[in-house]
Amino acid sequence: MSPVIDLAIEADGWTSLEAPSRLAEDAIGAAIAQSGVKLADGAEVSIVLCDDAFIAELNRKWRSVDKPTNVLSFPSGGDPSRTPILGDIVIAFETAEKEALEAGKPLRDHVAHLLAHGFLHLIGYDHIEDAEAEEMEALERDILARLGIGDPYRDAPAQVAN
């Protein structure tokens, strides 16, 4: 089952990304398929495509980190098979674009990675401990492979912050 995706574009830079709603559907669909997560009927995910200033304020408020980051996830908590509101994924344009350029990757591929990464957080994955990080990174590789996107951790990858 695919969740309802509510996507809001809150920064002008995102107009350069072709079909962001379709990208979100594809990335989250691949994450659902690869993770095997069972979602509640009517499950919903909110995605905000913003700028660095917007995400920096969220990062400062919720994580006490006074700088922008690429992606933040705000899980609603609880069992995804019982909780219809899964949470929010917020992605900053300038940081995502800079990381994609530095890694020599298309912005679209990097955003797909950030969407998959953010969604995994919403369904309970984390990367605080080394074993968790390895499990999450392996799952991200498999999700992106479903989308025809290469290993995001190969070579000099952009860091996924949250």
Side-chain angles (χ1 to χ4, degrees):
M1 156 180 233
S2 295
V4 172
I5 298 174
D6 178 24
L7 186 133
I9 299 175
E10 299 292 334
D12 292 337
W14 289 107
T15 59
S16 66
L17 185 68
E18 183 181 339
S21 292
R22 182 69 192 166
L23 178 61
E25 290 169 8
D26 291 347
I28 290 173
I32 292 166
Q34 194 63 42
S35 69
V37 67
K38 303 295 182 227
L39 300 180
D41 288 340
E44 296 180 27
V45 174
S46 172
I47 299 170
V48 178
L49 301 178
C50 65
D51 60 18
D52 274 5
F54 186 96
I55 210 166
E57 182 58 32
L58 291 176
N59 212 17
R60 186 173 22 262
K61 180 177 182 177
W62 296 104
R63 297 180 66 225
S64 299
V65 177
D66 193 19
K67 65 180 184 176
T69 188
N70 53 11
V71 61
L72 290 173
S73 298
F74 297 95
S76 63
D79 180 348
S81 69
R82 297 175 177 258
T83 306
I85 306 298
L86 297 173
D88 307 316
I89 301 168
V90 184
I91 301 174
F93 179 75
E94 296 92 338
T95 298
E97 181 182 52
K98 178 181 171 219
E99 289 173 346
L101 286 170
E102 288 173 354
K105 298 177 183 180
L107 176 61
R108 188 170 190 78
D109 290 359
H110 188 49
V111 172
H113 181 205
L114 297 175
L115 287 163
H117 182 89
F119 183 78
L120 290 176
H121 278 302
L122 297 187
I123 61 170
Y125 286 86
D126 213 333
H127 47 80
I128 295 170
E129 302 293 327
D130 287 345
E132 293 173 328
E134 289 173 16
E135 178 184 12
M136 195 167 173
E137 288 175 10
L139 191 49
E140 289 169 13
R141 285 182 183 99
D142 292 342
I143 291 165
L144 294 175
R146 281 181 174 261
L147 299 171
I149 298 171
D151 181 349
Y153 295 104
R154 185 184 65 236
D155 302 327
Q159 295 295 311
V160 177
N162 184 358

